[in-house]
Amino acid sequence: MMLEVALFGAGRIGKIHAGNLARRNDVKLKYVIDINAAAASELAARYGAGVGDVETAVRDPAIRAVVIASSTDTHAELFLRAAAAGKAIFCEKPVDLSLARARSCAQAVHEAGVPCLIGFQRRYDPTFAAVKARLDAGEIGEPEMLVITSRDPSAPPVGYIKSSGGIFKDMLIHDFDICRWILDDEAASVYAVGSCLTDPAIAAAGDADSAAVTIRTRKDRLCQINATRRAVYGYDQRFEVLGSKGMLQAHNHRPTEVVVATTAGVSQDKPEAFFLERYRFAYANEMAHFLDALVSGTPIRTNIEDGLKALELAEAATQSWREGRPVTFDDRS
Amino acid sequence: MMLEVALFGAGRIGKIHAGNLARRNDVKLKYVIDINAAAASELAARYGAGVGDVETAVRDPAIRAVVIASSTDTHAELFLRAAAAGKAIFCEKPVDLSLARARSCAQAVHEAGVPCLIGFQRRYDPTFAAVKARLDAGEIGEPEMLVITSRDPSAPPVGYIKSSGGIFKDMLIHDFDICRWILDDEAASVYAVGSCLTDPAIAAAGDADSAAVTIRTRKDRLCQINATRRAVYGYDQRFEVLGSKGMLQAHNHRPTEVVVATTAGVSQDKPEAFFLERYRFAYANEMAHFLDALVSGTPIRTNIEDGLKALELAEAATQSWREGRPVTFDDRS
Amino acid sequence: MMLEVALFGAGRIGKIHAGNLARRNDVKLKYVIDINAAAASELAARYGAGVGDVETAVRDPAIRAVVIASSTDTHAELFLRAAAAGKAIFCEKPVDLSLARARSCAQAVHEAGVPCLIGFQRRYDPTFAAVKARLDAGEIGEPEMLVITSRDPSAPPVGYIKSSGGIFKDMLIHDFDICRWILDDEAASVYAVGSCLTDPAIAAAGDADSAAVTIRTRKDRLCQINATRRAVYGYDQRFEVLGSKGMLQAHNHRPTEVVVATTAGVSQDKPEAFFLERYRFAYANEMAHFLDALVSGTPIRTNIEDGLKALELAEAATQSWREGRPVTFDDRS
Amino acid sequence: MMLEVALFGAGRIGKIHAGNLARRNDVKLKYVIDINAAAASELAARYGAGVGDVETAVRDPAIRAVVIASSTDTHAELFLRAAAAGKAIFCEKPVDLSLARARSCAQAVHEAGVPCLIGFQRRYDPTFAAVKARLDAGEIGEPEMLVITSRDPSAPPVGYIKSSGGIFKDMLIHDFDICRWILDDEAASVYAVGSCLTDPAIAAAGDADSAAVTIRTRKDRLCQINATRRAVYGYDQRFEVLGSKGMLQAHNHRPTEVVVATTAGVSQDKPEAFFLERYRFAYANEMAHFLDALVSGTPIRTNIEDGLKALELAEAATQSWREGRPVTFDDRS
């Protein structure tokens, strides 16, 4: 029996998910929905799907799961409708820029009892996942400090930045998730500073392009994140975790393993260009995990709680930056 | 219009090719043929193909191309029948262990005028191909010396070795192709030594498990190959080319980019385990090149001449080893 | 004419300086002074010096320079007496744990007009100095962010920690100097968190063993420092500076360039064991710079101002940690 | 009691040895002898030695050891006179270009019973020595194959090449020593090819600038050496030994551990520029070993036998290259 899926969003990330759905013999991509009709048609045609609309997809009882890869401002509505219809949900991060709306989504998922995966694809990256597995296996003892380097090759258009929720919600949200996941602990306090060093238009839009964050966890573990919108040498995605018995580092992936030695030096490839290249295996593994969990009824690794927690950290970091002081979390959650 | 293909061989390499054929929307795998009926059925079922026999496949006018991935002793016959039937041919290396039969195959291809790709997949490896492209672009000037490291993780069963044609035809044939391809030159002489250092049963079978080859080309360029059947740390596939303006190195690929630092040292992953892992992108690129060439009518990069030349080198190396002297090539070809 | 020098302190760092003084044909180590008479005698004998006392050394008009490598609590007094006597001063960091006393020393140096070098030897490390030179040459454009990793292999005895001034004055003072030097900018604010994760006795002594510091400079550049008293894999001394046109990284030095590949992985040496090994070239270069400056009358690169500024940062970081809030600097200096 | 030494040769290598002698408190450099009187004077003055002549130095009963660092054509005579006078001998490689004369020197050493070190300084390199120690400790089991990369940054003047004895005696003699030392085995056969690819004047002088050598040892181990007079990216000095349980690699040393990432790639330093830089620690360790052996009466690691064996290999390689065939050694020695 085929697992039938509807895909919302036919943009660059929607295409990735469509391709990963198509790798499965037990999955059928039934609908592609996008306000850009041409994009929807083209993607649908490529994988033998139909072009649909939200209403049809959500009402179709054959649809078991939806993949929400449309623009962030549409997530919450699609999410709530899918949950109400009892569909399993694969939703790109962030659930919503508003913590309140994100909490409504979480509430809906809990009430509907539907499986839900939030798209923190980095956890499914082969290198990142190997670090986590080896850490869990005790290879470096207890984790103590985490240093995350998170650098985009270049900033998105300022128009995008204006509606992005800011660098902490738009970009560092992934790093907040890495922090929680790797340290297996919740933030007790967060301190963030931001600067605008690459483009004054970003400052004019009220945002920063460079950020430095410090998180102290409940177990007194320390995490530092350094992030920039512009690293001219490529998409720099590294972290290292220091433990009581050693250190595990996740280094960048490179397109090739060529080294060239000339009078100028000894040089290797820059990191993979951007997230579509670097995380292509992560996206594939993530979708496979989602589908396997649906098929087998096993729990999903990056769920709505993870989505909420990362968003709370992003909101607190934004507040810390704006107010120039550390923000402390209660011990409730 | 779909390009219909028949696949001979449902073993581990046949499975790889079937998967790569299945990635194409413009290709239909019509028949899987294997003397192991269960293997043929299973692979055929997986990709919606039928189980066929040689006669049917070769006679079917809809079949445009055949992929020969069966055991080496069956290559020549399948090759000749496919050529006679006007099919395009994708054939795993070596064409045949006998140079005479390989030449008959070449003759048949020439007479039939069919496209033919010999499976030197390493040329399609991202790292190896990047070295070649950068060399061709003049990045290190004129090539002068080539050092190839070619090490399997462990030896195949002695039963296999006995019918393998020996280490030079079975294993180093790939390296001979690398030598010709990278140096863009033909061998003038070859000198080979072999030793049996890992397993006396290999010596008893009349073969070596360790080999060191030196090739001098017509342009006086020098190539050294070191090879072993057993490198316990993994599949070690490297080469470096020294040029008048620098050096290009092709290093191993690793499963992940994790580095661990402990009291024991600072350690990273071993190389990819074996050829199916290391060359998975190479196999995909190779098949894509074959199919693209069929669709567009453009020339094939690793053709029957390459198959013959590498085999001639393997035969000369075997002779050199047995006779304890360098073997010289004429300047005819 | 020989440049005559008195050395205060015959401990491990005093021995290093004695060895570096002995390399010069134009320098004579005249006195070694230490409250441990045996240590003073042994070191003096090794380099043909005499054993002296403070009074004799400071009064000897032939003595042109003193090297203060005794325990921190003796620095200020020796410093003031040497300045008063018109001697050039090479003083290990910190000048003093008290900012007030350190300022008195600075005042004394200014009044006496004597050359003074504060022992921030890291600036003289070949790798660190090369990063600085290449940054200054514009190789990566304008600096934007700096990430410093500063990890000792193991904590000193708790007895030492108690009188050390705390992790920020004792250990991170070097990193504060690196921050000022690399970014060529002064701190506008500093935020520090500390944890005790390796040994509860350190917490009981009122100190932290793990620290994370964020500095924002006047030019809005950002610096993060992560530090621990215990990295079991060795002395981890790295930093990286992100600029508008690239990134420069200073990696660890290793005892050898051996790589071993086994079934367990591919492993290289751990970093140099500790500061005496890692910074042996730095200490030699530092002393050579001091002596060259004396001989030639050129300015000294790491002077009393640098000593004060780093100490101010250490004091602010300590305050930030204790008060749980960022500490802001005035724009005066 | 001081160990008094005479140094023959005040050129670049003589200066290195003088500096290393001067590091010892128990050694006195008494004479510097060179046909270039100015060079001798300058070097002697620097280290408080006298300028001498051969006769005086050899006859002076206080002289315990001589260091022969003059031009190769003077080695044998100095060697024989020093041996006859009962002096310990430190002699730069090669002992002599003529195997017959080198054998006379060996004979003289044996008869005189004097300690003798031949200057294969690479064995004293920290990285190379660590590989050997770890190999001997069994870390990779039994050695099977050795691959040596031996590349100079640029060729010496053709005038030098003409009297150098050729690339095998002048340059690869070090690699022949590495082969014997690492594999702990003697050559059974050697095959060498040479090409002239960098400068036709070298061919006109009857020499090659590029060489590829294969050695099979008595225990059937295999060694390949690739060498060039010109690697534009620097002095490339690597080897790797494959064993039954793994591989040990000796990589190049670099001036600094800086990495720079720009739009052009991720680049690190070229190897150390040439032998004076790369092997500065090796030269120091070598001299310390010689002097320690004299003081303690313990055996010397690189002795006259090693000098002869490497020269025999160089002569056989030259013959192999000229005659186009492998040269076999008897099992006598």
Side-chain angles (χ1 to χ4, degrees):
Chain A
M1 200 192 63
M2 296 295 266
L3 200 159
E4 300 190 19
V5 178
L7 169 64
F8 299 103
R12 60 184 178 180
I13 192 68
K15 283 176 190 156
I16 296 288
H17 292 319
N20 288 327
L21 288 166
R23 293 188 183 195
R24 300 275 292 217
N25 293 325
D26 57 351
V27 170
K28 177 177 166 48
L29 175 59
K30 189 165 186 182
Y31 305 110
V32 175
I33 300 102
D34 199 296
I35 52 169
N36 180 334
S41 289
E42 189 183 327
L43 188 58
R46 180 153 184 200
Y47 293 108
V51 172
D53 58 61
V54 174
E55 194 60 23
T56 309
V58 167
R59 287 205 181 173
D60 184 341
I63 290 295
R64 174 113 173 257
V66 301
V67 174
I68 304 175
S70 47
S71 64
T72 299
D73 59 344
T74 66
H75 285 187
E77 193 199 331
L78 293 169
F79 199 106
L80 293 172
R81 292 182 67 174
K87 310 301 188 196
I89 299 168
F90 179 120
C91 183
E92 274 302 315
K93 67 85 213 169
V95 181
D96 196 280
L97 294 178
S98 147
L99 196 45
R101 271 199 300 276
R103 285 179 177 143
S104 306
C105 290
Q107 182 67 17
V109 159
H110 288 306
E111 287 171 2
V114 294
C116 171
L117 180 147
I118 302 300
F120 291 123
Q121 87 285 355
R122 295 185 193 181
R123 294 201 194 186
Y124 304 90
D125 174 76
T127 290
F128 288 8
V131 165
K132 175 64 171 170
R134 294 169 71 167
L135 179 62
D136 286 352
E139 199 166 326
I140 60 161
E142 283 297 304
E144 294 170 356
M145 304 187 77
L146 174 64
V147 178
I148 301 174
T149 296
S150 179
R151 300 174 184 166
D152 280 1
S154 59
V158 171
Y160 172 89
I161 284 179
K162 281 177 182 162
S163 62
S164 72
I167 191 170
F168 299 104
K169 281 188 187 173
D170 182 54
M171 189 175 158
L172 279 86
I173 194 164
H174 283 292
D175 306 300
F176 295 132
D177 183 61
I178 294 285
C179 173
R180 293 182 59 249
W181 173 56
I182 289 293
L183 294 182
D184 199 14
D185 200 0
E186 299 298 338
S189 72
V190 60
Y191 176 74
V193 292
S195 286
C196 189
L197 298 167
T198 76
D199 183 356
I202 293 174
D207 204 359
D209 53 26
S210 306
V213 177
T214 302
I215 295 166
R216 177 203 285 272
T217 70
R218 295 182 188 165
K219 295 178 184 163
D220 270 347
R221 291 163 180 167
L222 304 177
C223 170
Q224 284 189 313
I225 305 166
N226 73 82
T228 179
R229 288 283 195 187
R230 183 201 57 196
V232 299
Y233 56 88
Y235 188 49
D236 194 352
Q237 298 280 297
R238 290 171 285 150
F239 66 80
E240 61 180 55
V241 53
L242 173 71
S244 54
K245 294 181 182 169
M247 171 176 58
L248 280 160
Q249 294 177 308
H251 284 271
N252 286 313
H253 292 191
R254 288 176 292 274
T256 77
E257 294 300 326
V258 177
V259 170
V260 66
T262 66
T263 54
V266 178
S267 187
Q268 57 183 0
D269 280 9
K270 290 180 287 183
E272 292 280 5
F274 208 4
F275 67 97
L276 295 180
E277 292 85 4
R278 165 57 194 268
Y279 292 120
R280 64 189 188 281
F281 303 119
Y283 286 118
N285 294 340
E286 180 189 42
M287 184 58 77
H289 171 67
F290 177 66
L291 298 170
D292 288 343
L294 295 197
V295 168
S296 65
T298 49
I300 284 171
R301 255 181 272 154
T302 48
N303 58 33
I304 187 69
E305 286 305 314
D306 297 309
L308 282 182
K309 290 285 188 190
L311 193 59
E312 285 168 7
L313 265 163
E315 198 143 293
T318 308
Q319 183 188 358
S320 170
W321 170 46
R322 295 205 188 284
E323 300 180 4
R325 62 171 189 87
V327 168
T328 306
F329 292 88
D330 291 336
D331 270 4
R332 291 167 298 181
S333 57
Chain B
M1 200 194 61
M2 298 294 265
L3 200 159
E4 300 190 19
V5 178
L7 168 64
F8 298 104
R12 60 184 178 179
I13 192 67
K15 284 176 189 157
I16 296 288
H17 292 319
N20 289 327
L21 287 165
R23 293 188 183 195
R24 300 275 290 216
N25 293 325
D26 58 350
V27 169
K28 176 176 167 48
L29 175 59
K30 190 165 184 182
Y31 305 110
V32 175
I33 300 103
D34 200 297
I35 51 168
N36 179 335
S41 290
E42 188 183 327
L43 189 58
R46 180 154 186 201
Y47 293 107
V51 172
D53 58 62
V54 175
E55 194 60 24
T56 310
V58 168
R59 287 205 179 172
D60 184 341
I63 290 295
R64 174 114 174 256
V66 301
V67 175
I68 304 175
S70 47
S71 63
T72 299
D73 59 344
T74 66
H75 285 188
E77 192 199 332
L78 295 169
F79 199 106
L80 292 171
R81 293 181 67 173
K87 311 301 187 195
I89 298 169
F90 180 120
C91 184
E92 276 301 316
K93 66 86 215 169
V95 181
D96 195 279
L97 293 179
S98 148
L99 196 46
R101 271 198 301 275
R103 285 178 178 145
S104 305
C105 290
Q107 182 66 16
V109 159
H110 288 307
E111 286 171 3
V114 293
C116 172
L117 180 147
I118 302 299
F120 290 123
Q121 88 284 356
R122 294 184 193 181
R123 294 200 194 186
Y124 303 89
D125 174 76
T127 291
F128 288 8
V131 165
K132 175 64 172 169
R134 294 169 72 167
L135 178 62
D136 285 353
E139 199 166 326
I140 60 160
E142 282 298 303
E144 294 170 356
M145 303 185 79
L146 174 64
V147 178
I148 301 175
T149 297
S150 180
R151 300 174 185 167
D152 281 0
S154 58
V158 171
Y160 172 89
I161 284 180
K162 281 178 182 163
S163 61
S164 72
I167 191 169
F168 298 104
K169 282 189 186 172
D170 182 54
M171 188 174 158
L172 279 86
I173 195 164
H174 282 293
D175 306 300
F176 295 132
D177 183 61
I178 295 285
C179 172
R180 293 182 58 249
W181 174 55
I182 289 293
L183 294 181
D184 199 14
D185 201 359
E186 300 297 340
S189 72
V190 60
Y191 176 75
V193 292
S195 286
C196 189
L197 298 167
T198 76
D199 184 356
I202 294 174
D207 204 359
D209 53 27
S210 307
V213 177
T214 303
I215 295 166
R216 178 202 284 273
T217 71
R218 293 183 190 165
K219 294 177 185 165
D220 270 347
R221 291 164 179 166
L222 304 178
C223 170
Q224 285 190 312
I225 305 167
N226 73 81
T228 179
R229 289 283 194 186
R230 183 200 58 196
V232 299
Y233 56 90
Y235 188 49
D236 193 352
Q237 299 280 298
R238 292 172 283 149
F239 66 81
E240 60 180 54
V241 52
L242 174 71
S244 55
K245 295 181 182 169
M247 171 176 59
L248 280 161
Q249 296 177 307
H251 283 270
N252 286 312
H253 292 190
R254 287 175 292 274
T256 78
E257 295 300 326
V258 177
V259 170
V260 66
T262 66
T263 54
V266 178
S267 186
Q268 57 182 0
D269 281 7
K270 290 179 289 183
E272 292 280 6
F274 207 4
F275 67 98
L276 295 180
E277 293 84 3
R278 165 57 194 267
Y279 291 119
R280 65 189 188 279
F281 303 119
Y283 285 118
N285 294 341
E286 180 190 42
M287 184 58 77
H289 171 67
F290 177 66
L291 298 169
D292 287 345
L294 295 195
V295 168
S296 64
T298 50
I300 284 172
R301 254 182 273 154
T302 47
N303 58 34
I304 187 70
E305 286 305 315
D306 297 308
L308 282 183
K309 289 287 188 188
L311 193 59
E312 285 169 7
L313 265 163
E315 197 143 293
T318 308
Q319 183 189 358
S320 171
W321 170 45
R322 297 205 188 282
E323 300 181 4
R325 62 175 188 85
V327 168
T328 306
F329 292 89
D330 291 335
D331 270 3
R332 293 167 296 179
S333 56
Chain C
M1 199 192 63
M2 297 295 266
L3 201 158
E4 300 190 20
V5 178
L7 168 65
F8 298 104
R12 59 184 178 178
I13 192 67
K15 283 176 190 158
I16 296 288
H17 292 318
N20 288 327
L21 288 165
R23 292 187 184 197
R24 301 274 291 216
N25 293 325
D26 58 349
V27 169
K28 177 178 166 47
L29 176 59
K30 190 166 184 182
Y31 303 110
V32 176
I33 300 102
D34 198 296
I35 51 168
N36 179 334
S41 289
E42 188 183 327
L43 188 58
R46 179 152 186 204
Y47 293 107
V51 172
D53 58 63
V54 176
E55 194 59 23
T56 309
V58 167
R59 287 206 178 172
D60 184 341
I63 290 295
R64 175 117 174 254
V66 302
V67 174
I68 303 175
S70 47
S71 63
T72 299
D73 59 343
T74 65
H75 285 188
E77 193 198 331
L78 294 168
F79 199 107
L80 293 171
R81 293 182 67 173
K87 312 301 187 195
I89 298 168
F90 180 120
C91 183
E92 275 302 315
K93 67 87 214 169
V95 181
D96 195 280
L97 293 179
S98 147
L99 195 46
R101 271 199 300 276
R103 285 178 177 145
S104 305
C105 291
Q107 182 67 15
V109 159
H110 288 307
E111 286 171 3
V114 293
C116 172
L117 179 148
I118 302 299
F120 290 122
Q121 87 284 355
R122 294 185 192 180
R123 293 201 194 187
Y124 303 90
D125 174 75
T127 291
F128 288 8
V131 166
K132 176 64 171 168
R134 294 169 71 167
L135 179 62
D136 285 353
E139 199 167 326
I140 60 160
E142 284 297 304
E144 294 170 355
M145 303 186 77
L146 174 64
V147 178
I148 300 175
T149 297
S150 180
R151 299 175 185 165
D152 280 0
S154 59
V158 172
Y160 172 90
I161 284 179
K162 281 177 181 163
S163 61
S164 72
I167 192 170
F168 299 104
K169 281 190 187 173
D170 182 55
M171 189 174 157
L172 279 86
I173 195 164
H174 282 292
D175 306 300
F176 296 132
D177 183 62
I178 293 286
C179 172
R180 293 181 59 250
W181 173 56
I182 288 294
L183 293 182
D184 199 14
D185 201 0
E186 299 297 339
S189 72
V190 60
Y191 176 76
V193 291
S195 286
C196 190
L197 298 167
T198 76
D199 183 356
I202 294 174
D207 204 359
D209 53 26
S210 307
V213 177
T214 302
I215 295 165
R216 178 202 285 273
T217 72
R218 294 182 189 166
K219 294 177 185 165
D220 270 346
R221 292 164 179 166
L222 304 178
C223 170
Q224 285 189 313
I225 305 167
N226 73 82
T228 180
R229 288 284 194 185
R230 184 200 57 197
V232 299
Y233 56 90
Y235 189 48
D236 193 352
Q237 299 280 297
R238 290 171 285 149
F239 67 80
E240 61 180 55
V241 52
L242 173 71
S244 55
K245 295 182 182 168
M247 171 175 59
L248 279 161
Q249 295 176 309
H251 284 270
N252 286 312
H253 292 191
R254 287 176 293 274
T256 78
E257 295 300 326
V258 177
V259 170
V260 66
T262 66
T263 53
V266 177
S267 186
Q268 57 182 2
D269 281 8
K270 290 179 288 183
E272 291 281 7
F274 206 5
F275 67 97
L276 294 180
E277 293 84 4
R278 164 57 194 268
Y279 291 120
R280 65 189 187 279
F281 303 119
Y283 286 119
N285 295 340
E286 180 189 43
M287 184 58 77
H289 170 67
F290 177 66
L291 298 170
D292 287 344
L294 294 196
V295 169
S296 65
T298 49
I300 284 171
R301 256 182 271 154
T302 47
N303 57 34
I304 187 71
E305 286 306 313
D306 297 308
L308 282 183
K309 288 287 188 188
L311 194 59
E312 284 168 8
L313 265 163
E315 197 143 293
T318 308
Q319 183 188 358
S320 171
W321 170 46
R322 297 205 186 283
E323 301 181 3
R325 62 173 188 85
V327 168
T328 305
F329 292 89
D330 291 335
D331 270 3
R332 292 168 296 181
S333 58
Chain D
M1 200 193 64
M2 298 293 266
L3 200 159
E4 300 191 18
V5 178
L7 169 63
F8 299 104
R12 59 184 178 179
I13 192 68
K15 284 176 190 157
I16 296 288
H17 292 319
N20 288 327
L21 288 166
R23 294 188 182 194
R24 300 275 291 216
N25 293 326
D26 58 350
V27 169
K28 177 178 168 46
L29 175 59
K30 189 165 185 182
Y31 305 110
V32 175
I33 300 101
D34 199 296
I35 52 170
N36 179 334
S41 288
E42 189 183 327
L43 189 58
R46 180 153 186 202
Y47 293 107
V51 171
D53 57 60
V54 174
E55 194 60 23
T56 309
V58 167
R59 286 207 181 172
D60 184 341
I63 290 296
R64 174 116 174 254
V66 301
V67 174
I68 304 175
S70 48
S71 64
T72 299
D73 59 343
T74 66
H75 285 186
E77 192 199 332
L78 294 169
F79 200 106
L80 293 172
R81 292 182 67 174
K87 311 301 187 194
I89 299 168
F90 179 120
C91 183
E92 275 301 316
K93 67 86 214 168
V95 179
D96 196 280
L97 293 179
S98 146
L99 195 46
R101 272 199 300 276
R103 285 179 177 144
S104 305
C105 290
Q107 182 67 16
V109 160
H110 288 307
E111 286 171 2
V114 293
C116 171
L117 180 147
I118 303 300
F120 290 122
Q121 87 285 354
R122 295 184 192 182
R123 294 200 193 187
Y124 304 90
D125 174 76
T127 290
F128 288 8
V131 166
K132 176 63 172 170
R134 293 169 71 167
L135 179 62
D136 286 352
E139 200 166 327
I140 60 161
E142 283 297 304
E144 294 170 356
M145 303 186 77
L146 174 64
V147 178
I148 300 174
T149 297
S150 179
R151 300 175 185 165
D152 280 1
S154 58
V158 171
Y160 171 89
I161 284 179
K162 280 177 183 164
S163 62
S164 73
I167 191 170
F168 299 104
K169 281 189 186 172
D170 183 54
M171 189 176 158
L172 280 86
I173 194 164
H174 282 293
D175 306 300
F176 295 132
D177 183 61
I178 295 285
C179 172
R180 293 182 59 249
W181 173 56
I182 289 293
L183 294 183
D184 199 15
D185 201 359
E186 299 298 339
S189 72
V190 60
Y191 175 75
V193 291
S195 286
C196 189
L197 298 167
T198 76
D199 184 355
I202 293 174
D207 204 359
D209 54 26
S210 306
V213 177
T214 303
I215 295 166
R216 177 204 286 272
T217 71
R218 294 183 189 166
K219 293 177 185 166
D220 270 347
R221 292 164 178 167
L222 304 178
C223 170
Q224 284 189 313
I225 305 166
N226 73 82
T228 179
R229 288 284 195 186
R230 184 204 53 200
V232 300
Y233 56 89
Y235 189 48
D236 193 352
Q237 299 279 298
R238 291 172 283 150
F239 66 79
E240 61 180 54
V241 52
L242 173 71
S244 54
K245 295 182 181 169
M247 172 175 59
L248 279 161
Q249 295 176 308
H251 284 270
N252 285 312
H253 292 191
R254 287 176 292 274
T256 78
E257 295 300 326
V258 177
V259 170
V260 66
T262 66
T263 54
V266 178
S267 187
Q268 58 183 2
D269 280 9
K270 290 180 288 183
E272 292 281 7
F274 207 4
F275 66 98
L276 294 180
E277 293 84 4
R278 164 59 195 266
Y279 292 119
R280 64 189 188 280
F281 303 119
Y283 286 118
N285 294 340
E286 180 189 43
M287 184 58 77
H289 171 68
F290 177 67
L291 298 169
D292 288 344
L294 294 196
V295 168
S296 65
T298 50
I300 285 171
R301 255 182 271 155
T302 47
N303 59 33
I304 187 70
E305 287 305 313
D306 297 309
L308 282 183
K309 289 286 188 188
L311 193 60
E312 285 169 8
L313 265 163
E315 197 143 293
T318 308
Q319 183 188 357
S320 171
W321 169 46
R322 295 205 187 284
E323 300 181 3
R325 62 173 187 87
V327 168
T328 306
F329 292 89
D330 291 335
D331 270 4
R332 291 169 296 182
S333 59

